[in-house]
Amino acid sequence: RHHTLSLTYGERSEQPNLPPLATYLLRLMHLKKTNLCVSADVNTTTELLRLAEEVGVHICVLKTHADIIDDFSDKTIRGLNEISRRRKFLIFEDRKFGDIGSMHGALMAEDEVAMLT
């Protein structure tokens, strides 16, 4: 059993040699007292932003699927970034690069919105 498993998220965030994103996520989980991630399986920008607004205070990570958002645009990116900063959660774009199925939405550049890919 690894020694860090008995540490709190706050204590784990102070471990040396952690990547900055891992440190940030562990601190976020410590401060929010949750490690909850919500998968945003919705099809419109309105639904995505409403979901992010509603659950944002309770989560650490919102997992998005840009390829299924029918009206994906810069508005989607700006809105999601604004909500994630205000509600303090990370965005994880769950794109399956190896999928062969139908990919119909606009593709989100990882550096535009997703903190985790």
Side-chain angles (χ1 to χ4, degrees), residues 2-116:
H2 198 270
H3 75 280
T4 59
L5 294 177
S6 61
L7 301 176
T8 67
Y9 292 132
E11 292 167 336
R12 288 171 66 184
S13 73
E14 296 169 358
Q15 295 296 301
N17 302 318
L18 275 180
L21 186 58
T23 298
Y24 180 80
L25 181 57
L26 287 165
R27 286 182 184 156
L28 189 61
M29 292 187 313
H30 174 74
L31 291 172
K32 292 183 96 171
K33 296 181 178 21
T34 185
N35 62 0
L36 190 60
C37 173
V38 168
S39 181
D41 297 326
V42 296
N43 300 104
T44 68
T45 293
T46 300
E47 291 172 307
L48 177 62
L49 298 181
R50 183 174 51 237
L51 178 65
E53 191 69 54
E54 289 175 5
V55 302
V57 296
H58 305 288
I59 65 172
C60 289
V61 177
L62 181 69
K63 184 172 76 162
T64 61
H65 306 276
D67 54 313
I68 66 169
I69 303 293
D70 295 329
D71 59 345
F72 188 85
S73 69
D74 287 342
K75 174 188 171 193
T76 312
I77 294 170
R78 285 191 308 272
L80 199 52
N81 278 330
E82 188 275 323
I83 295 167
S84 73
R85 279 191 292 274
R86 189 167 30 81
R87 297 292 195 188
K88 296 184 178 27
F89 61 84
L90 294 174
I91 301 164
F92 168 49
E93 169 54 22
D94 186 19
R95 188 172 321 143
K96 294 172 179 59
F97 293 104
D99 282 358
I100 299 172
S102 172
M103 303 289 284
H104 63 276
L107 294 179
M108 180 172 14
E110 287 99 29
D111 60 349
E112 288 179 327
V113 69
M115 292 98 171
L116 305 166

